[in-house]
Amino acid sequence: MSIFSSSTSAIPDTLEIPRHVAVIMDGNGRWAKKRFLPRVAGHKVGLETVRGMIRQSVDIGVEYLTLFAFSSENWRRPPEEVSFLMSLFTEALKKEVIKLHKSNVRFVMIGNKSDFNESLSHEITAAEILTASNTGLTLTIAANYGGRWDVLQAVNAMQKANPNMAGAFAEEHLNPYLSMHYAPEPDLFIRTGGEKRISNFLLWQLAYTELYFTDTLWPDFDDDAFKLAIQSYQQRERRFGRTSEQLANP
Ligand code: FPP
């Protein structure tokens, strides 16, 4: 079994910096509304928060940062907001990829890429190729992503690859086909903006992740807010089904 296959096999030390942080960046629209600005203004400022979080993750030694930028369901938003977001992603990639590369960041996009326009698809592929060998932070952007879609596409790919499989499939058969096969499961999940939901994010991988919810809106989620989330994580006792006594006397 690969070391990445399940966080239930080894107990990470919560006193440490979480290796993998996964984030639902919520509250951009409300942040803008409070200021009588159009919703898209919130997304623009939200991009600044993304920059800050990447910088801080590199500084403190987070190994994997995974950001939910656009869900499969977000296509239902007003068309002008969807098209603004697509342009924002494209421009952000064009502008930032060299800086990411210089910071030794590896960029990966997960989600169904087939629905993106040519220009965005091109920027995504170029960024992935350029940064593929980088060994610092792995930045994963989930876009046009849904946890159920991911599990289903993995099951289909697994069956296709093992047409003559006798007996039942096990977790380790599925893991290589999941979108985040290259990363350990998230240690810490953060959702800003007050809602307490997983919203079809990394359903399979969040099974044992520590969950952190905050009312802070994404554009206001600054360095101190991230530090608070990490401090909260460091106070948790991760048991993975075991008892506290077992943890005390391994
Ligand atoms: C959710 O807030 C936010 C989004 C669907 C878009 C997230 C995009 C960014 C933060 C900008 C750029 C990101 C990258 C990775 C390039 P919401 O609009 O649902 O807010 P609301 O709940 O207040 O309406």
Side-chain angles (χ1 to χ4, degrees):
M1 191 183 277
S2 115
I3 51 160
F4 289 157
S5 60
S6 175
S7 57
T8 58
S9 49
I11 301 179
D13 185 347
T14 46
L15 289 175
E16 289 174 5
I17 295 295
R19 284 184 77 193
H20 184 174
V21 180
V23 188
I24 294 187
M25 312 178 284
D26 198 10
N28 291 347
R30 277 166 286 159
W31 183 94
K33 198 170 170 203
K34 267 172 55 181
R35 288 161 180 78
F36 305 101
L37 294 167
R39 292 178 52 80
V40 295
H43 297 318
K44 247 180 161 170
V45 182
L47 180 58
E48 296 306 316
T49 307
V50 170
R51 283 198 187 96
M53 198 159 191
I54 295 170
R55 182 187 28 75
Q56 205 181 352
S57 297
V58 170
D59 287 352
I60 65 177
V62 169
E63 291 173 53
Y64 298 85
L65 176 65
T66 302
L67 305 175
F68 203 5
F70 195 84
S71 73
S72 319
E73 292 75 29
N74 283 153
W75 295 107
R76 297 176 192 151
R77 291 188 173 211
E80 53 288 0
E81 183 173 341
V82 170
S83 108
F84 179 90
L85 280 169
M86 294 301 141
S87 309
L88 189 71
F89 297 152
T90 312
E91 290 311 308
L93 270 176
K94 260 190 206 162
K95 244 175 86 181
E96 308 290 340
V97 69
I98 298 295
K99 279 188 235 162
L100 291 176
H101 187 45
K102 282 188 179 151
S103 306
N104 198 21
V105 172
R106 171 166 66 136
F107 173 87
V108 184
M109 196 232 124
I110 57 165
N112 186 352
K113 297 181 191 179
S114 60
D115 294 331
F116 294 135
N117 64 38
E118 212 175 299
S119 154
L120 180 52
S121 302
H122 169 79
E123 293 305 330
I124 290 168
T125 309
E128 287 182 328
I129 292 172
L130 178 71
T131 64
S133 314
N134 289 345
T135 54
L137 174 75
T138 295
L139 170 67
T140 301
I141 301 294
N144 200 17
Y145 176 87
R148 290 181 181 176
W149 165 84
D150 193 9
V151 173
L152 282 175
Q153 67 78 26
V155 167
N156 287 325
M158 175 185 72
Q159 280 181 327
K160 205 171 162 192
N162 300 281
N164 304 317
M165 172 82 177
F169 287 111
E171 278 186 32
E172 55 266 37
H173 296 112
L174 186 70
N175 284 325
Y177 301 99
L178 289 164
S179 299
M180 292 218 71
H181 58 87
Y182 53 87
E185 292 169 14
D187 301 294
L188 171 63
F189 161 92
I190 299 171
R191 180 171 188 149
T192 63
E195 312 289 356
K196 294 178 178 65
R197 288 192 286 271
I198 303 293
S199 295
N200 200 17
F201 195 19
L202 301 162
L203 296 181
W204 181 272
Q205 296 85 348
L206 290 175
Y208 285 93
T209 302
E210 295 298 328
L211 307 179
Y212 180 84
F213 297 96
T214 170
D215 289 337
T216 303
L217 303 174
W218 179 250
D220 293 326
F221 194 78
D222 57 13
D223 284 10
D224 287 342
F226 189 20
K227 273 187 201 125
L228 275 181
I230 290 179
Q231 277 164 17
S232 165
Y233 165 81
Q234 288 172 333
Q235 282 156 19
R236 313 276 176 100
E237 181 187 71
R238 305 191 75 190
R239 299 209 301 265
F240 298 99
R242 298 166 182 86
T243 66
S244 296
E245 290 71 29
Q246 282 177 304
L247 293 184
N249 307 295

